[in-house]
Amino acid sequence: MKRIIHHPILGEMEEKKLVTIFVDGKRIQAREGEPIAAALLSAGIDVFRHTKKGSPRSIFCGIGQCTDCSMIVDGVPNVRTCVTLVADGMIVETQEGVGVANL
Amino acid sequence: MPISKIVEDADLLVVGGGPAGLGAAIEAGRRGARVLVADEHDRPGGQLFKQIHKFFGSHAHYAGSRGFEIGNRLIIDARDAGVTVLLSTKVLGIFPDHRVSLLTDGQKVVTIKPRALVLATGGGERGASFPGWTLPGVITAGAAQTFCNIHRVLPGKRVVMMGSGNVGLIVAYQLLQAGTDVIALVEAKEEIGGYQVHGAKILRAGVPIYTGHTVKEARGNTHVEEVVIAAVDTACNEIPGTEKSFQADTLCLAVGLTSDQRLATMAGCRLCFSPEFGGTIPWHDKDLETSIPGIFVAGDCAGIEEANTALDEGRIAGIGAACALGRISEAEREAATAEIWDRLNDLRSGSFGIRRRMGKERIMRSGYGQEISCSDCGASGTVTDNTDKVPAESCPDSFLIGDDHPPVGKGKKPVAVFYCDQDIPCNPCISACPVGAITMTPSLTGTPRLDSDLCTGCGRCLSVCPGQAIVLFLEEYGQSLSTLTFVYEYLPLPQKGERVRAVDRFGSVVCNAEVIRVSQTQQQNRSPLVTIAYDRSYAGRVRFIERKREEM
């Protein structure tokens, strides 16, 4: 998906420092202070986890009310990526089922 | 952060830092209470920061301001009132003696015992179930708004919106503003659910609204690729053979919200059922106090409405809490809340609000133990009050009136034309008019009347109108042309001298036109005015111009 650089009401997108996160081993640039889900969607990644039966899930509510966007973040499963902000060097993994802690 | 010290000092804990919670905190803080606000997010303001449209209401409701501007104002007011806001803080539980456990920064658990509590936990969006609804690409309208307006990521390129309440209409418009193609809006009822002015905005942008239709299926492998809709009968059963298919990557659900009453339930507050307010909500009295003394509710948690009413309910709850804490007397509480109740009653009037006003009164009147059921809801959606309709001749192009209407205007003088014939509580156009040409009777939900002899055609009412329901029309511009001036909130802005295609209110091309003026001032608050000239024979039919689109 695309970043919204120009906006008629909000103006130009603010410059932010870029950080690097690793998603299933792939290196991705993210804007500092944004949620993991925003970085993933703008990098074109839209399957965040699979249920036990293998059905794909992505963001749904976007404000931490549901758990559809859960992923394994720095070894911790079931982290809601829509309300968890990126940090430099963060390791994000697609979650299968309820996930396995890898601390 | 020395959290434990702060919390030991708190008289009042407010859960939720949205408009209701901040409203409560500000009022209690101003009355000397030591107030702590706990919010699970990383900044206060709740959902206000994704509300980039101008609000309805009166001056006291910040009408004409955009949601995020109101959010910034509330944060400053809260700071000035000495309120402490704890961010990234979740409430884990409430115990019977009002002890509350908080988890801050995902690490530290603190248990505190405030003397009063305001629960302003908001609401959650409903889902809708149909084959494929769990596919990536099916998201709530609120999620689309969050990603577009806060995180600045387009949630999709081609979007179908399900639901035509104000949320569906407003988010569809904001998706267009962000640069997404909204290809259809689907509504099961025969009429759109939200304000006509919001519907009119997206219709003239060329988005079709399929009323009497529902989403049958979302199809795709690992992501939405196709959305199938079907017509429904009055009982909402799909009519076979009426399916239509759209190639879309995103399906937004705007199918209503429910109160988040989990903490109120945990605290033992009595619940009641209210069809007007989204289902089960905590019972409360006119001070927003629940069945448990000292525990107040406000905002969507106390019944689904919108940010303006949430703010006012929060203020009442905060004043009630200050009284419960002994900071003000009963008489002072009565006096302070009476004015806010008047404002709330203004907002809950007109054909949209009256049902909610009656619903609230029914909840507040009923004591505990008295069951409230859907069947005793005496109000219906058709009840109106104060509907003082504009005479038809000054309202020529209403969303609901047919195509055939005569051109309006006063020859060589530009005049404002109002497309506002719905009893929405709103009046910024009146205060914006420098010559007093606009009046409204008898209340906030009246519709504006224009004295066209007084109107100077200055256009100030255009940019301040939250519904973008006013245009300027000049019938005689040179020999054979007419001009139309309207608000244009998309990018890129057309330029003076540019040839454009004028469209009618359904987005269909009417004729060619030339942009003769683009006005963008600070006073317009990012609602620029565009003036086009076109052949007079099309006067009256022209409402807008075709949007320029950037290549995706």
Side-chain angles (χ1 to χ4, degrees), chain A residues 21-35:
Chain A
I21 62 171
F22 297 90
V23 184
D24 293 332
K26 201 172 134 193
R27 179 186 285 264
I28 279 169
Q29 295 275 291
R31 282 160 55 79
E32 192 174 47
E34 75 179 349

Side-chain angles (χ1 to χ4, degrees), chain A residues 19-77:
Chain A
V19 299
T20 303
I21 62 171
F22 297 90
V23 184
D24 293 332
K26 201 172 134 193
R27 179 186 285 264
I28 279 169
Q29 295 275 291
R31 282 160 55 79
E32 192 174 47
E34 75 179 349
I36 298 165
L40 297 191
L41 288 182
S42 55
I45 299 169
D46 62 6
V47 176
F48 290 11
R49 68 178 179 100
H50 294 99
T51 63
K52 266 196 296 193
K53 291 179 181 169
S55 135
R57 292 287 189 274
S58 185
I59 63 155
F60 181 68
C61 81
I63 51 166
Q65 297 234 340
C66 75
T67 49
D68 267 12
C69 65
S70 295
M71 297 180 85
I72 302 171
V73 176
D74 288 338
V76 180

Side-chain angles (χ1 to χ4, degrees), chain B residues 274-287:
Chain B
S274 168
E276 301 90 349
F277 288 98
T280 304
I281 59 171
W283 176 87
H284 58 82
D285 67 9
K286 69 174 179 45
D287 294 309

Side-chain angles (χ1 to χ4, degrees), chain B residues 6 26 52 117 198 205 208 277 282 303 349 382 427 433 437 500 514 540 552:
Chain B
I6 298 167
I26 291 164
I52 63 168
L117 258 173
H198 288 318
F277 288 98
S349 54
T382 56
N427 68 2
C433 182
V500 290
E514 185 183 336
M552 300 278 286

Side-chain angles (χ1 to χ4, degrees), chain B residues 308-484:
Chain B
N308 271 331
T309 46
L311 175 57
D312 274 346
E313 281 200 343
R315 291 192 193 279
I316 294 171
I319 294 166
C323 180
L325 292 164
R327 297 279 173 181
I328 55 170
S329 69
E330 297 274 334
E332 284 167 319
R333 187 201 64 203
E334 289 284 337
T337 56
E339 186 195 334
I340 304 172
W341 267 112
D342 284 345
R343 288 208 309 255
L344 262 177
N345 287 337
D346 272 349
L347 286 176
R348 290 177 182 148
S349 54
S351 48
F352 278 88
I354 190 69
R355 211 168 152 255
R356 284 181 280 123
R357 180 167 168 185
M358 291 171 75
K360 272 282 168 180
E361 277 173 11
R362 204 160 46 77
I363 293 161
M364 296 183 300
R365 271 203 313 269
S366 65
Y368 312 56
Q370 194 181 331
E371 281 303 315
I372 303 168
S373 70
C374 181
S375 61
D376 67 4
C377 165
S380 81
T382 56
V383 179
T384 58
D385 70 350
N386 303 331
T387 9
D388 187 17
K389 292 277 184 195
V390 186
E393 66 272 18
S394 63
C395 181
D397 197 27
S398 151
F399 178 52
L400 291 182
I401 300 173
D403 251 331
D404 301 320
H405 50 75
V408 291
K410 286 275 178 183
K412 293 180 167 45
K413 181 185 153 187
V415 284
V417 179
F418 286 74
Y419 293 73
C420 172
D421 68 343
Q422 207 170 28
D423 47 354
I424 296 166
C426 185
N427 68 2
C429 55
I430 293 172
S431 31
C433 182
V435 294
I438 309 168
T439 50
M440 187 180 289
T441 51
S443 72
L444 195 58
T445 53
T447 42
R449 285 169 186 277
L450 177 77
D451 183 336
S452 49
D453 292 330
L454 284 180
C455 177
T456 61
C458 70
R460 286 194 201 165
C461 53
L462 270 65
S463 329
V464 82
C465 173
Q468 297 175 17
I470 315 174
V471 296
L472 277 184
F473 178 71
L474 170 60
E475 191 178 20
E476 292 178 29
Y477 179 71
Q479 282 294 311
S480 62
L481 300 177
S482 294
T483 76
L484 191 78

Side-chain angles (χ1 to χ4, degrees), chain B residues 273-307:
Chain B
F273 181 78
S274 168
E276 301 90 349
F277 288 98
T280 304
I281 59 171
W283 176 87
H284 58 82
D285 67 9
K286 69 174 179 45
D287 294 309
L288 280 308
E289 193 165 14
T290 64
S291 60
I292 306 219
I295 299 185
F296 296 77
V297 283
D300 277 356
C301 164
I304 302 301
E305 285 189 276
E306 35 85 35

